[in-house]
Amino acid sequence: YGFIGGNSGTITNCFWDSDVSGITTGSAAGEYEALDNIEMIDSSIFSGAGWSSDIWYLNNGSIPKLKKY
């Protein structure tokens, strides 16, 4: 299942660490992707997927972190 256990909707612009989970594919519909450890710290992947730096800390060399509001 990769990103989530199951879903009947569409998942977009979501990622998970396949090195940590050991899961490289998902079964739900949509645009989502397994990334390895190196890709998980590449901020350009997340900003290219439309992740906002207003919501996420997107620092190259670090996994994205949700900002507190």
Side-chain angles (χ1 to χ4, degrees), residues 32-67:
Y32 60 103
E33 184 177 351
L35 302 176
D36 64 28
N37 286 337
I38 300 301
E39 293 168 316
M40 287 295 295
I41 60 172
D42 183 348
S43 62
S44 68
I45 291 174
F46 298 93
S47 60
W51 287 36
S52 171
S53 61
D54 292 336
I55 298 171
W56 296 92
Y57 292 111
L58 298 174
N59 300 317
N60 212 30
S62 177
I63 62 170
K65 293 182 175 61
L66 188 62
K67 292 182 176 181

Side-chain angles (χ1 to χ4, degrees), residues 16-27:
W16 74 92
D17 190 324
S18 60
D19 289 336
V20 171
S21 69
I23 299 170
T24 58
T25 60
S27 62

